[in-house]
Amino acid sequence: MQQTFRLVIDCPDQVGLVAAVSQFLADQQATIVEASHHTDAKLGRFFMRHEIKTDTLKLTLDKFKEAFEPIAKQFAMQWKISDSLQKQKVALLASHESHCLIDILHRWHSGELDCEIPCIIGNHPQMKQFADWYRVPFHWVDFKNQDKKVAFSQIEALLEEYQADLTVLARFMQILPDNLCQKLAGKAINIHHSFLPSFAGAKPYQQAYDRGVKLIGATCHYVTKDLDEGPIIEQEVIRISHSDSAEDMVRKGKNCEKAALANGVRYHLQDRVIIHKNKTVVFA
Amino acid sequence: MQQTFRLVIDCPDQVGLVAAVSQFLADQQATIVEASHHTDAKLGRFFMRHEIKTDTLKLTLDKFKEAFEPIAKQFAMQWKISDSLQKQKVALLASHESHCLIDILHRWHSGELDCEIPCIIGNHPQMKQFADWYRVPFHWVDFKNQDKKVAFSQIEALLEEYQADLTVLARFMQILPDNLCQKLAGKAINIHHSFLPSFAGAKPYQQAYDRGVKLIGATCHYVTKDLDEGPIIEQEVIRISHSDSAEDMVRKGKNCEKAALANGVRYHLQDRVIIHKNKTVVFA
Amino acid sequence: MQQTFRLVIDCPDQVGLVAAVSQFLADQQATIVEASHHTDAKLGRFFMRHEIKTDTLKLTLDKFKEAFEPIAKQFAMQWKISDSLQKQKVALLASHESHCLIDILHRWHSGELDCEIPCIIGNHPQMKQFADWYRVPFHWVDFKNQDKKVAFSQIEALLEEYQADLTVLARFMQILPDNLCQKLAGKAINIHHSFLPSFAGAKPYQQAYDRGVKLIGATCHYVTKDLDEGPIIEQEVIRISHSDSAEDMVRKGKNCEKAALANGVRYHLQDRVIIHKNKTVVFA
Amino acid sequence: MQQTFRLVIDCPDQVGLVAAVSQFLADQQATIVEASHHTDAKLGRFFMRHEIKTDTLKLTLDKFKEAFEPIAKQFAMQWKISDSLQKQKVALLASHESHCLIDILHRWHSGELDCEIPCIIGNHPQMKQFADWYRVPFHWVDFKNQDKKVAFSQIEALLEEYQADLTVLARFMQILPDNLCQKLAGKAINIHHSFLPSFAGAKPYQQAYDRGVKLIGATCHYVTKDLDEGPIIEQEVIRISHSDSAEDMVRKGKNCEKAALANGVRYHLQDRVIIHKNKTVVFA
């Protein structure tokens, strides 16, 4: 895979901004593979992502950061640059449902998701078999026989030990405590099995069944302390009818969950998502 | 268009039910054009719709009703039979947005919606031009210079005068009073411009924009006294992104509104919808 | 899982047909879980599927067949009845792409696909690892160092040995010879990675890229001797744009392939598909 | 509506290109409303669209063109700049089907399509009533009682007389002669009622019915002399099943046709489409 740098910028909108950035890139002999811009006229804010080839580039990542800093300061940018070859470490949290876990694992194993998966953590032991198949260390954190606080501190310790850059809740059925949500802000992705904001909370398929909706869905979002209210990255829906039982809805919904989660994680890993307040810009 | 009778049944589930109905139909030499069944195992309830050709049928509609009554009683059926040639009268209510109104009118005019449209009622005068094009009587009911109660009693009187079988709220921006909702129960269809139950109430596109959802939609449902909570007939969605402004969302959403409303009205007119509690069985 | 019998009928349309079948079912105290009917007015043909609970049923499967035979004869039916507890044996053929194979295996392993998987046959050895994970016997049939005829006769022998009821080509990249197609008629399902009839044959994603289509898809169909022209069971599509490379299209398309194949196989296993000429009736 | 200029560029890819364009824009105090880039790595080609506000801009359209010309030359650009306030003239061609025509007319009338509609030309007289409603001049060109060549020369004359910038074939059922196709290259948009390249030519719904596909669609494309093979702008699909008759497919397909055509025309009018060889870049 070709090495690229990804330069992601979020700043107040103003004339001359794009010129300054693109002149800088041209001066460094950067070949632009992909460029995405978004102006939020209401907020007066500008969002920008460049993916550039490194083969003709004059600068290393560190030198790039140094050289770009003055421009960043001038335009009051929030920004980052990342190297596509430095793989992010993605920790997976799961419970007893395997479909999202297996889907992420397979996409990683086949090279579709470009990351490392240093560990899988379960609050049930069942997922160990799949972890073993994919040769990923599995940790069972017991939520039944010990206090939840203790259990979550164990999870926190594991995430630190494995130096997780991203934590993915692949149908993890425990609600993260506020302090962990804050610590993982913008670095933890959840999949909720409804088309949010409809049917937040428990048993969304049952809620959907009871309300008689004609489409169900899934929502991939960043975790925040307000349950199921974090910035949405991706959503999927599928048509249902009166003839679908609650069990049929679960089956259909799983396809949505897998698709939305896989896209959301990929967008994040490729630095395609910028969080602004409680919304996202996704340069898909 | 070929004449058909539509026999629609809703009753407790039990062995022998289908046999009794289909034997009755066979005895009358009824050729079945379309047969739809649904068993709700949870509720122990059975739903059934037959569309039969009348050319070989031995009975008139009235004689059919008479002859079928004993079976209906035996199985405690809620049932009806309708003649496809007896067109339903559909009254349209509108405000100042024309897209749903024009869409319904065009589908009716081109023969896609098999009904009569005896009148259009507006709480603003703007829709008169479209009513004139399609040569449908237009009534402006003033909601500004008179009390809402008075205005709604005028609407009620118009619906009676025109003997409306169905009332369609084609983006009618006034909330029907409870008594009118009850009077029109199962006979009034609304289009709400969100994917319910998300974003009920006012300004759903703005709500969707603020929440940052990645799909927007529209919901066609029966009117009940609980605003936007009636039985859902049809829903549509469309993908959006951060680059869609609130105005873009309105444009995209309109396509959903038109599609959902047109389907919902057609299903109703063809007796394809059975309301049970707060849900629908739709034999689409 | 509750035991059911599935009675599937395909015959010339005529008055009295449904009455006869449903009276027979009522006489046997059959509780109907699901009933589906389709009249093809053009062909004058009737298609029917009943799923009935066995707990109250008076007859065993064999006795049912015997008792129903006179009715079947009277109405010139092509028909079958199957027992949901008699699991079908599904042989999987694969090459070197794992996404469809893994998807089918996971859906089977988690109980979504109700069948047995007695073997996986590959024309490359790579899929053995996945077969091992799922503890399914794997057979590598060499297509490089031996004649194709020999290779296919080995496959044929394996299918016989394992008594496969259904053969699924999970992105199997070899074209079945005519005699095998005929032998497996209605019992072999393929997934083609385009929205057929567009882009039949080799490299459909490249063909789609070259033509500049705005949606790509996948088609699940029965195998016939005319390549990619068999009766279609299920199709899926996904939106693409100019910014999607041929590689992106492959990634997006894989999701379509998995979804279409999984649905197609499930429909077949639940006796929901009736082939008539080169089309299917699918009681989904 | 706020005035903007739209600068659209198509040229060989090279370092410094974006810098040169954005520096030029910054120098002219251009506020960028929307910026879209696409690099086709395979072709080594770069596509770019800027929409800029004119209120702070130092240059008129003519002066802009003059000032930009040296940059355009330097980078071998194919380019254009347009003023959003200079409305394009869109001539509509129709036959006897009204759904696409009415849809375009309504979207224009309600302000969604920002253009002028100077005339409607029909090869049948039926569409005159709709033209009259919308107060657009209607011309009936007789294809029955005169030679097609003569008829098409009349159409050509009308398009010249009305100075049409864009010609939209809203289900116009006559095949344009080669010379007219060439004259209108990139300026004539057709809607074909199938998901191309499937079912090109006559009676696509019947073709789709006969093949037994599970989704049908519509394709909006530029007209070229090779029938139904021009660059595709937009496509839509909808799910169908065995229970949909050929007539149902027509009804469902019409919704696709309207949606695809409306999007395609809007993209074109907003200079969002760049044709390159037989494909399009659409900055939607």
Side-chain angles (χ1 to χ4, degrees):
Chain A
M1 196 174 285
Q2 179 192 48
Q3 186 187 22
T4 59
F5 286 171
R6 297 163 191 146
L7 175 64
V8 183
I9 294 165
D10 163 7
C11 65
D13 191 22
Q14 58 198 290
V15 170
L17 181 55
V18 180
V21 173
S22 52
Q23 190 57 56
F24 176 86
L25 292 176
D27 291 345
Q28 313 308 331
Q29 287 296 315
T31 306
I32 298 169
V33 176
E34 193 180 327
S36 310
H37 300 69
H38 172 57
T39 310
D40 190 318
K42 245 186 185 172
L43 300 170
R45 204 143 183 101
F46 190 74
F47 305 87
M48 195 183 209
R49 178 186 182 275
H50 281 93
E51 186 151 359
I52 55 180
K53 280 201 280 191
T54 52
D55 48 6
T56 57
L57 198 68
K58 291 185 188 163
L59 301 170
T60 61
L61 192 69
D62 284 343
K63 291 285 177 196
F64 190 108
K65 284 177 183 171
E66 221 174 87
F68 190 71
E69 191 56 45
I71 296 173
K73 266 205 179 124
Q74 185 191 341
F75 291 96
M77 293 177 180
Q78 291 187 296
W79 71 289
K80 67 173 172 183
I81 186 163
S82 62
D83 178 346
S84 68
L85 295 190
Q86 287 180 358
K87 295 193 181 189
Q88 291 187 55
K89 293 183 184 70
V90 179
L92 302 178
L93 304 195
S95 291
H96 49 75
E97 289 264 37
S98 61
H99 58 287
C100 283
L101 184 74
I102 283 274
D103 189 72
I104 291 288
L105 285 170
H106 183 257
R107 289 179 200 265
W108 160 71
H109 188 259
S110 65
E112 184 183 313
L113 287 179
D114 190 30
C115 61
E116 288 178 21
I117 299 193
C119 68
I120 298 169
I121 303 169
N123 65 326
H124 291 283
Q126 293 99 316
M127 295 300 106
K128 185 174 187 308
Q129 60 170 324
F130 302 113
D132 287 350
W133 288 357
Y134 285 95
R135 297 184 188 179
V136 175
F138 180 83
H139 296 270
W140 173 29
V141 172
D142 191 341
F143 273 71
K144 280 212 168 153
N145 303 307
Q146 55 182 357
D147 190 84
K148 282 205 178 186
K149 271 198 179 171
V150 177
F152 273 115
S153 67
Q154 289 172 357
I155 288 181
E156 197 176 337
L158 285 166
L159 296 177
E160 276 178 17
E161 180 192 331
Y162 285 106
Q163 300 179 18
D165 299 301
L166 176 68
T167 302
V168 172
L169 286 69
R171 294 295 307 275
F172 182 65
M173 304 304 281
Q174 295 288 334
I175 298 166
L176 265 54
D178 285 10
N179 69 314
L180 196 52
C181 289
Q182 275 157 22
K183 189 174 171 185
L184 301 177
K187 296 181 173 181
I189 289 178
N190 184 43
I191 181 73
H192 182 74
H193 41 311
S194 86
F195 185 73
L196 289 173
S198 291
F199 314 133
K203 300 201 174 177
Y205 290 127
Q206 189 60 47
Q207 290 183 59
Y209 180 83
D210 292 342
R211 180 62 187 91
V213 289
K214 300 301 184 186
L215 291 153
I216 55 167
T219 304
C220 177
H221 64 93
Y222 286 106
V223 174
T224 60
K225 67 186 175 56
D226 301 306
L227 186 66
D228 300 330
E229 295 194 1
I232 294 171
I233 310 170
E234 176 74 322
Q235 297 187 294
E236 286 286 339
V237 289
I238 193 167
R239 195 163 287 278
I240 57 164
S241 82
H242 62 266
S243 68
D244 287 300
S245 64
E247 292 70 33
D248 291 326
M249 289 168 63
V250 169
R251 176 177 50 74
K252 288 187 168 185
K254 282 178 176 177
N255 293 330
C256 292
E257 294 170 41
K258 290 187 287 187
L261 182 60
N263 276 342
V265 170
R266 187 170 48 81
Y267 294 152
H268 180 93
L269 291 175
Q270 296 179 344
D271 298 304
R272 295 181 178 281
V273 190
I274 306 174
I275 302 174
H276 188 74
K277 295 185 178 173
N278 205 43
K279 296 168 67 171
T280 61
V281 169
V282 181
F283 292 123
Chain B
M1 195 174 283
Q2 179 191 49
Q3 186 186 23
T4 58
F5 286 171
R6 297 164 192 145
L7 175 64
V8 183
I9 294 165
D10 163 8
C11 66
D13 191 23
Q14 58 197 291
V15 170
L17 180 55
V18 179
V21 173
S22 51
Q23 190 56 57
F24 176 86
L25 292 176
D27 290 345
Q28 311 308 331
Q29 286 296 315
T31 306
I32 298 170
V33 176
E34 194 179 326
S36 311
H37 300 70
H38 173 57
T39 309
D40 190 318
K42 245 186 184 171
L43 301 170
R45 203 144 183 101
F46 191 73
F47 305 87
M48 197 184 208
R49 178 186 183 275
H50 280 94
E51 186 151 0
I52 54 179
K53 280 201 280 192
T54 53
D55 48 7
T56 57
L57 198 67
K58 291 185 188 163
L59 301 171
T60 61
L61 192 69
D62 283 342
K63 291 284 177 196
F64 190 109
K65 283 178 184 171
E66 221 174 88
F68 190 70
E69 191 56 44
I71 295 174
K73 267 202 180 129
Q74 184 191 342
F75 291 96
M77 295 177 180
Q78 291 187 295
W79 72 290
K80 67 174 171 181
I81 186 164
S82 62
D83 179 345
S84 69
L85 295 190
Q86 288 180 359
K87 295 192 181 190
Q88 291 187 55
K89 293 183 185 71
V90 180
L92 301 178
L93 304 195
S95 292
H96 49 76
E97 289 264 37
S98 61
H99 58 287
C100 283
L101 183 74
I102 282 274
D103 189 72
I104 291 288
L105 285 169
H106 182 258
R107 289 179 200 265
W108 160 72
H109 188 259
S110 64
E112 183 183 313
L113 288 178
D114 190 30
C115 61
E116 288 178 22
I117 298 192
C119 68
I120 298 169
I121 303 169
N123 66 326
H124 291 282
Q126 292 100 315
M127 295 300 106
K128 185 174 187 310
Q129 59 170 323
F130 302 113
D132 288 351
W133 288 357
Y134 285 95
R135 297 186 187 177
V136 175
F138 180 82
H139 295 270
W140 173 29
V141 172
D142 191 341
F143 273 72
K144 281 213 166 152
N145 302 307
Q146 57 182 357
D147 190 84
K148 282 206 177 188
K149 272 198 179 172
V150 176
F152 272 115
S153 67
Q154 289 173 359
I155 287 181
E156 197 176 337
L158 284 165
L159 295 177
E160 276 178 18
E161 180 193 332
Y162 285 105
Q163 300 178 19
D165 298 301
L166 176 67
T167 302
V168 172
L169 286 69
R171 294 296 306 275
F172 182 65
M173 303 304 281
Q174 295 288 334
I175 298 165
L176 265 54
D178 284 11
N179 69 313
L180 196 52
C181 288
Q182 276 158 21
K183 189 175 170 183
L184 301 178
K187 295 182 174 181
I189 288 177
N190 185 44
I191 182 72
H192 183 75
H193 41 313
S194 85
F195 185 70
L196 289 173
S198 291
F199 313 132
K203 301 201 173 176
Y205 290 128
Q206 189 60 48
Q207 290 184 58
Y209 180 84
D210 292 342
R211 180 61 187 93
V213 289
K214 300 301 183 187
L215 291 153
I216 55 167
T219 303
C220 178
H221 63 93
Y222 285 106
V223 174
T224 59
K225 67 185 175 58
D226 301 306
L227 186 67
D228 300 331
E229 296 195 0
I232 294 171
I233 310 170
E234 176 75 322
Q235 298 187 294
E236 286 286 339
V237 288
I238 193 166
R239 196 163 284 277
I240 57 165
S241 82
H242 62 267
S243 69
D244 286 300
S245 64
E247 292 71 33
D248 290 327
M249 289 167 62
V250 169
R251 175 177 51 73
K252 287 187 168 184
K254 282 179 176 177
N255 293 329
C256 291
E257 295 169 40
K258 291 188 287 186
L261 181 60
N263 276 342
V265 170
R266 188 170 47 82
Y267 293 152
H268 179 93
L269 291 175
Q270 296 179 347
D271 299 305
R272 294 181 180 280
V273 190
I274 306 174
I275 302 174
H276 188 73
K277 295 187 177 172
N278 204 42
K279 297 168 67 171
T280 61
V281 169
V282 180
F283 292 123
Chain C
M1 196 174 286
Q2 180 192 48
Q3 187 187 22
T4 59
F5 285 171
R6 297 162 192 147
L7 175 64
V8 182
I9 294 165
D10 163 8
C11 65
D13 191 22
Q14 57 197 292
V15 169
L17 181 55
V18 180
V21 173
S22 51
Q23 189 58 56
F24 176 86
L25 292 176
D27 290 345
Q28 312 309 331
Q29 288 295 316
T31 306
I32 299 170
V33 176
E34 194 179 326
S36 310
H37 300 68
H38 173 57
T39 310
D40 190 317
K42 246 185 182 170
L43 301 170
R45 204 146 182 99
F46 190 75
F47 306 86
M48 195 184 210
R49 179 186 181 275
H50 281 95
E51 187 152 358
I52 54 179
K53 281 200 280 191
T54 53
D55 48 7
T56 57
L57 198 67
K58 290 185 189 164
L59 300 170
T60 62
L61 192 68
D62 283 343
K63 291 284 176 194
F64 190 108
K65 284 177 183 172
E66 220 175 90
F68 190 70
E69 192 55 44
I71 295 174
K73 268 206 178 126
Q74 184 191 342
F75 292 96
M77 294 177 179
Q78 292 187 296
W79 71 289
K80 66 173 172 182
I81 186 163
S82 62
D83 178 345
S84 68
L85 294 190
Q86 288 180 359
K87 296 194 182 189
Q88 291 187 54
K89 293 184 184 68
V90 180
L92 302 178
L93 304 193
S95 291
H96 49 75
E97 289 263 37
S98 61
H99 58 287
C100 283
L101 183 74
I102 282 274
D103 190 71
I104 292 287
L105 285 170
H106 182 258
R107 289 179 201 265
W108 159 72
H109 188 259
S110 65
E112 183 183 312
L113 288 178
D114 190 31
C115 61
E116 287 178 23
I117 298 191
C119 68
I120 298 169
I121 303 169
N123 65 328
H124 292 283
Q126 292 99 315
M127 296 299 106
K128 186 176 187 307
Q129 58 171 324
F130 302 113
D132 288 350
W133 289 356
Y134 286 95
R135 297 187 188 176
V136 175
F138 179 83
H139 295 271
W140 172 29
V141 172
D142 191 341
F143 273 72
K144 281 211 166 154
N145 303 307
Q146 56 181 356
D147 190 84
K148 282 206 178 187
K149 272 197 180 172
V150 177
F152 273 116
S153 68
Q154 289 173 357
I155 287 181
E156 197 175 336
L158 284 165
L159 295 177
E160 277 178 18
E161 180 192 332
Y162 285 106
Q163 300 179 19
D165 299 300
L166 176 68
T167 301
V168 172
L169 287 69
R171 293 297 305 276
F172 182 66
M173 303 304 281
Q174 296 289 334
I175 299 166
L176 265 54
D178 285 10
N179 69 313
L180 196 52
C181 289
Q182 275 157 22
K183 189 175 170 184
L184 300 178
K187 296 183 173 180
I189 288 177
N190 184 44
I191 181 74
H192 183 74
H193 41 312
S194 86
F195 184 73
L196 290 173
S198 291
F199 315 132
K203 300 201 174 178
Y205 291 128
Q206 189 60 47
Q207 289 184 58
Y209 180 83
D210 292 342
R211 180 61 187 92
V213 289
K214 301 300 185 187
L215 291 154
I216 54 167
T219 303
C220 178
H221 63 94
Y222 286 106
V223 174
T224 61
K225 67 185 175 56
D226 301 306
L227 186 66
D228 300 330
E229 295 194 2
I232 294 171
I233 311 171
E234 176 74 321
Q235 298 185 294
E236 285 286 338
V237 288
I238 192 166
R239 196 163 284 277
I240 57 165
S241 82
H242 62 267
S243 68
D244 287 299
S245 65
E247 292 70 33
D248 290 327
M249 288 166 63
V250 170
R251 176 177 50 73
K252 287 186 169 186
K254 281 179 176 177
N255 293 329
C256 292
E257 294 170 40
K258 291 188 287 186
L261 182 60
N263 277 342
V265 170
R266 187 170 48 82
Y267 294 151
H268 179 93
L269 290 176
Q270 295 179 346
D271 299 304
R272 295 181 177 282
V273 190
I274 306 174
I275 302 174
H276 187 73
K277 295 185 176 173
N278 205 42
K279 296 168 68 171
T280 61
V281 169
V282 181
F283 292 123
Chain D
M1 196 175 285
Q2 179 192 49
Q3 187 187 22
T4 59
F5 285 172
R6 297 164 192 145
L7 175 65
V8 183
I9 295 165
D10 164 7
C11 66
D13 191 23
Q14 58 197 289
V15 169
L17 181 55
V18 179
V21 173
S22 52
Q23 189 58 56
F24 176 87
L25 292 176
D27 290 345
Q28 312 308 331
Q29 287 295 317
T31 305
I32 298 170
V33 176
E34 194 179 326
S36 311
H37 301 69
H38 174 56
T39 309
D40 190 316
K42 245 186 183 171
L43 300 170
R45 203 143 183 102
F46 190 74
F47 306 87
M48 196 184 209
R49 177 187 184 274
H50 280 94
E51 186 151 359
I52 54 180
K53 281 201 279 192
T54 53
D55 47 8
T56 57
L57 198 67
K58 289 185 189 163
L59 301 169
T60 62
L61 192 69
D62 284 344
K63 291 283 177 196
F64 189 109
K65 284 177 183 171
E66 221 175 88
F68 191 70
E69 192 54 46
I71 296 174
K73 267 204 180 127
Q74 184 191 342
F75 291 95
M77 293 177 180
Q78 291 188 294
W79 71 289
K80 67 173 172 181
I81 186 163
S82 62
D83 179 346
S84 68
L85 295 190
Q86 288 179 358
K87 295 193 181 188
Q88 291 187 55
K89 292 184 185 70
V90 180
L92 302 178
L93 304 194
S95 290
H96 49 76
E97 289 264 38
S98 61
H99 58 288
C100 283
L101 183 74
I102 282 273
D103 189 72
I104 291 288
L105 286 170
H106 183 258
R107 289 179 200 266
W108 160 71
H109 188 259
S110 65
E112 184 183 313
L113 288 177
D114 190 30
C115 61
E116 287 178 24
I117 298 192
C119 68
I120 298 169
I121 304 169
N123 66 326
H124 291 283
Q126 293 99 315
M127 296 299 106
K128 186 175 186 309
Q129 59 170 323
F130 302 115
D132 288 351
W133 289 355
Y134 285 95
R135 297 185 187 179
V136 175
F138 180 83
H139 295 270
W140 173 30
V141 172
D142 192 341
F143 273 72
K144 281 212 166 153
N145 303 307
Q146 56 182 357
D147 189 84
K148 282 207 178 187
K149 271 196 178 173
V150 177
F152 272 116
S153 68
Q154 288 173 359
I155 288 181
E156 197 176 338
L158 284 166
L159 295 177
E160 276 178 17
E161 181 193 333
Y162 286 106
Q163 302 179 17
D165 299 301
L166 176 68
T167 302
V168 172
L169 285 69
R171 294 296 307 275
F172 183 66
M173 303 304 280
Q174 295 289 334
I175 298 165
L176 265 55
D178 285 10
N179 69 314
L180 196 51
C181 288
Q182 275 156 22
K183 190 175 170 185
L184 301 179
K187 295 182 174 181
I189 289 177
N190 184 43
I191 181 73
H192 182 75
H193 41 312
S194 86
F195 184 71
L196 289 173
S198 291
F199 314 132
K203 301 202 174 178
Y205 290 128
Q206 189 61 46
Q207 289 184 58
Y209 179 84
D210 292 342
R211 179 61 186 94
V213 289
K214 300 302 184 186
L215 291 152
I216 54 167
T219 303
C220 178
H221 64 93
Y222 286 105
V223 174
T224 60
K225 66 185 175 57
D226 300 307
L227 186 66
D228 300 330
E229 295 195 1
I232 294 171
I233 311 171
E234 175 75 322
Q235 297 188 293
E236 286 286 339
V237 288
I238 192 166
R239 196 163 285 277
I240 57 166
S241 82
H242 62 267
S243 69
D244 286 300
S245 64
E247 292 71 33
D248 290 326
M249 288 167 62
V250 170
R251 176 177 50 74
K252 287 188 168 183
K254 282 178 175 177
N255 293 329
C256 291
E257 295 170 38
K258 290 187 288 186
L261 182 60
N263 276 342
V265 170
R266 187 169 48 81
Y267 294 152
H268 180 93
L269 290 176
Q270 297 180 345
D271 298 305
R272 295 181 179 280
V273 190
I274 306 174
I275 302 174
H276 187 74
K277 296 186 176 173
N278 205 42
K279 296 168 66 171
T280 61
V281 169
V282 181
F283 292 124

